[in-house]
Amino acid sequence: MNEIKTKVLVVEDEEPIRRFITLNLSAAGYEIGEADTGEKALAMLGSFRPEVIVLDLMLPGIDGFEVCRQVREKMPETFVIMLTAKGQDTDKIVGLELGADDYMVKPFNPVELTARVKAMLRRRTRFRADRDVLTCDDLLLDLSANKFFKNHHEIELTPTEFALLKMFLENQGRALERNEMLNAIWGENYYGEPKTLDVHIRRLREKLEDNPSEPEYIKTVWGRGYRWQPGVRGRTP
Ligand code: CA
């Protein structure tokens, strides 16, 4: 069976350090690409397509900062772990927010580096799952985390409100029939009080509308049900 290995690009001009790193990462099961200059690293992005880049900051020619900047532009999903020499202002590096995901100060234990790479890849898996979101203007419904945000503030929703909002955001602009909503949220053949729907809608409006008595998003469609008005503010989450 051909196992697909995760690709790690090691960019380091000092050969002994590069070898030290690559030996450890190979032993951990990663497929390794090597570059001893920033130029070579950038040239390898498209062909090698690394998922992680171990990037020395001080390189001849194009330095690690510039490589990192270009990686962020061209391959934003790639993880970058920056290597810095002792004495360099690491706090400043982090503060610069140059887009590195992590950094290590030389001299470091390559076993520790391998552990960091593994941790990053675990985080990536979560990060991708977290992208399962529905949005409208500054409203964001995070389906994986089961959270709702309005203008970056989390607002608690009950599971029913959550399900209703999900249905609205998946059907923006479309009139949803009362029965359709009751069946979708409370199950087929719902025999309960249909007013239940209106109560939940009212609560949902109170939570997400600026003015619940004059809702901008959840519109009443008389005699039928409700409709979500998409993008009224033009703001993004
Ligand atoms: Ca160097």
Side-chain angles (χ1 to χ4, degrees), residues 12-14 56 58-59 106:
E12 166 64 85
D13 57 314
E14 289 161 84
D56 186 32
M58 300 306 283
L59 295 164
K106 294 177 183 176

